[in-house]
Amino acid sequence: MVSESQSRRRVLGGLVAAGGALAVGTAATPASAASGPRPTVVLVHGVFADASGWNEVSGRLLKAGYDVIAPANPLRDLAGDAAYVSSVVATFPGPVILVGHSYGGEVITNAALANPNVKALVYVAAFAPDQGETALELAGRFPGSQLPPALVTRPYPIPGSSEPGTDGYIDPAKFHDVFAQDLPRSLTRVMAVSQRPGSVLGLSSPSGVPAWQSLPSWYVVAGADRVIPPAVQRFMAERAGSRVVEVKGASHVVMMSRPDTVVRQIEAAYRATR
């Protein structure tokens, strides 16, 4: 006859054995085993914005299981901005997908080459310059930008220089209509007063050897962009050989107004390069 204490020991032993089998089964089949580790997605913002512009995209990527970082782009000069983003990318040992919006596209174009773990580039209403081109030059290559008459400039000190630099802001009264006409005015009023300026030095610096010559790229064209005309975006995307999705009616901040489309392009880049 089995005693009560023996019965308890058998039950406990069975539970331990079952738990061990479950743990072994879970460890043997991790979620990423079939496809390898998911990349870290590095989201680089442009001028007149900050990393919070990626919030809707970041939330969706995190929910889908990606590691995500949206660093603060310094927005001082192209070489320095690209070096900073490159240093962030270098801290990740695994694969990386670099995503750039607006001037952030120029930054990733220059930052990617120093990091062999970058597997793909995703441009979101962004500059994808060739060597020697500048953001200011590209923005005016085709007509349609409403940005120049909306700019307000302010000087800022440059350490070690007797000459100040020049920052460009969008006039808050024109911010909604020029930068983000498909977002609520209640939101763009807040964006306008917290906007990060872009230095003329950075926007007028010639770009280096473009990473899109050696890396696959994807592009989201904002079909109603009033900062970088859609014709300019199409030109750059075609030249880079990018896989293109165009969003009709989307403003320059397409990652805020149409985050699902942006996420789908990032996921397409992951599937094609894993």
Side-chain angles (χ1 to χ4, degrees), residues 49-120:
D50 61 22
S52 68
W54 292 112
N55 283 355
E56 293 296 326
V57 170
S58 296
R60 286 161 171 78
L61 290 172
L62 289 168
K63 187 175 182 180
Y66 294 89
D67 290 328
V68 182
I69 184 170
N73 188 353
L75 304 181
R76 294 295 83 189
D77 66 272
L78 178 58
D81 297 343
Y84 174 75
V85 169
S86 180
S87 73
V88 173
V89 172
T91 65
F92 299 103
V96 167
I97 292 177
L98 267 177
V99 185
H101 171 245
S102 193
Y103 168 73
E106 187 168 17
V107 172
I108 68 170
T109 297
N110 287 270
L113 288 178
N115 293 281
N117 57 331
V118 176
K119 302 304 180 184

Side-chain angles (χ1 to χ4, degrees), residues 144-165:
S145 178
Q146 298 181 21
L147 180 62
L151 286 176
V152 176
T153 60
R154 295 186 175 95
Y156 69 90
I158 298 178
S161 173
S162 60
E163 296 295 325

Side-chain angles (χ1 to χ4, degrees), residues 4 10 29 32 42 72 75 78 92 98 136 139 172 187 196 217 220 227 229 260:
E4 184 178 351
R10 288 179 180 178
T29 56
S32 61
V42 179
L75 304 181
L78 178 58
F92 299 103
L98 267 177
L136 290 178
L187 174 58
R196 294 275 307 281
S217 62
V220 179
V227 176
D260 289 336

Side-chain angles (χ1 to χ4, degrees), residues 52-267:
S52 68
W54 292 112
N55 283 355
E56 293 296 326
V57 170
S58 296
R60 286 161 171 78
L61 290 172
L62 289 168
K63 187 175 182 180
Y66 294 89
D67 290 328
V68 182
I69 184 170
N73 188 353
L75 304 181
R76 294 295 83 189
D77 66 272
L78 178 58
D81 297 343
Y84 174 75
V85 169
S86 180
S87 73
V88 173
V89 172
T91 65
F92 299 103
V96 167
I97 292 177
L98 267 177
V99 185
H101 171 245
S102 193
Y103 168 73
E106 187 168 17
V107 172
I108 68 170
T109 297
N110 287 270
L113 288 178
N115 293 281
N117 57 331
V118 176
K119 302 304 180 184
L121 306 171
V122 181
Y123 294 95
V124 180
F127 292 109
D130 202 348
Q131 187 170 9
E133 293 178 339
T134 73
L136 290 178
E137 172 197 350
L138 283 168
R141 182 162 297 190
F142 294 91
S145 178
Q146 298 181 21
L147 180 62
L151 286 176
V152 176
T153 60
R154 295 186 175 95
Y156 69 90
I158 298 178
S161 173
S162 60
E163 296 295 325
T166 301
D167 266 339
Y169 297 77
I170 297 177
D171 182 343
K174 300 176 181 178
F175 191 92
H176 174 270
D177 292 342
V178 172
F179 195 69
Q181 74 273 15
D182 56 353
L183 295 181
R185 287 185 182 274
S186 58
L187 174 58
T188 60
R189 280 197 296 269
V190 176
M191 292 168 61
V193 299
S194 60
Q195 64 180 289
R196 294 275 307 281
S199 73
V200 172
L201 178 62
L203 295 170
S204 61
S205 297
S207 193
V209 175
W212 49 256
Q213 287 185 343
S214 55
L215 288 171
S217 62
W218 283 254
Y219 202 110
V220 179
V221 173
D225 198 324
R226 298 173 182 175
V227 176
I228 305 175
V232 177
Q233 296 180 39
R234 296 184 199 109
F235 162 76
M236 292 185 292
E238 181 179 359
R239 181 178 62 182
S242 303
R243 289 77 157 175
V244 179
V245 169
E246 180 161 342
V247 187
K248 294 183 178 179
S251 73
H252 189 56
V253 289
V254 61
M255 73 286 190
M256 297 179 69
S257 62
R258 309 292 205 284
D260 289 336
T261 300
V262 174
V263 169
R264 283 194 292 270
Q265 281 291 73
I266 294 170
E267 293 188 318

